[in-house]
Amino acid sequence: MTKRQCRENAFLLLFEGSFRDDAPEALYRAAEEVGEITVDDKVRALVEGVRDKQEELDGIIASYSPKRALSRIPRVNLILLRIAIYEIRYVPETPVNVAVSEAVDISQKYTYQEDTAFINGVLGTYARSLPKSEDQKPEGE
């Protein structure tokens, strides 16, 4: 599975999980039963990492989206923002520009054009705020 597929599968699981109060294992079982979402260790790590850090990620999103309250951000957008920011902060092998680009690309499939622009704007502003050493992660995707 490519890293892109891993991100998209994690996105779909997190989106499904946002409507339910199930533990991640229940989401994984349901996904496997349906057979449309592959769940491997990398997908699990991304899903569980985002869920574990959700409060912190939401705080970051809120601070970089001053004109739109967190409660007014569409769920799809919020999950894509959480994944990208999680990867930037906690997955050192993921370059910042790749995390931003992947979130924008996935958003083009699942959101409206205005939402894609919003996601790109929030992530771009966040990325520019990072210290240069963090922003200059090596390419290697």
Side-chain angles (χ1 to χ4, degrees):
M1 172 179 344
T2 66
K3 290 184 180 183
R4 169 75 173 268
Q5 290 168 322
C6 176
R7 287 179 185 98
E8 190 165 353
N9 289 345
F11 161 73
L12 293 169
L13 288 165
L14 287 163
F15 185 72
E16 175 69 23
S18 72
F19 292 99
R20 304 160 50 156
D21 201 21
D22 295 344
E25 287 303 320
L27 293 173
Y28 305 148
R29 278 194 305 278
E32 289 169 359
E33 287 173 12
V34 173
E36 293 182 17
I37 300 173
T38 303
V39 180
D40 66 6
D41 290 340
K42 291 180 182 180
V43 172
R44 289 172 188 264
L46 191 51
V47 167
E48 291 167 23
V50 169
R51 286 178 68 131
D52 289 345
K53 302 290 185 183
Q54 183 173 318
E55 190 174 313
E56 175 190 342
L57 299 171
D58 287 353
I60 293 167
I61 294 165
S63 69
Y64 286 91
S65 176
K67 293 182 181 177
R68 192 179 301 184
L70 207 60
S71 62
R72 300 205 22 102
I73 297 174
R75 206 177 291 221
V76 171
N77 299 1
L78 193 55
I79 292 166
L80 287 168
L81 289 166
R82 286 174 183 158
I83 291 170
I85 294 171
Y86 176 81
E87 283 196 284
I88 291 167
R89 292 182 67 84
Y90 297 105
V91 184
E93 64 271 11
T94 302
V96 173
N97 62 330
V98 170
V100 173
S101 177
E102 289 288 314
V104 168
D105 287 349
I106 294 170
S107 76
Q108 290 172 339
K109 184 174 179 180
Y110 294 100
T111 68
Y112 296 108
Q113 187 174 2
E114 302 81 30
D115 293 325
T116 297
F118 171 76
I119 290 166
N120 189 47
V122 170
L123 293 176
T125 303
Y126 175 68
R128 286 187 296 278
S129 76
L130 298 173
K132 284 296 179 197
S133 61
E134 224 176 300
D135 191 29
Q136 302 293 325
K137 292 180 184 173
E139 295 288 337
E141 185 88 11

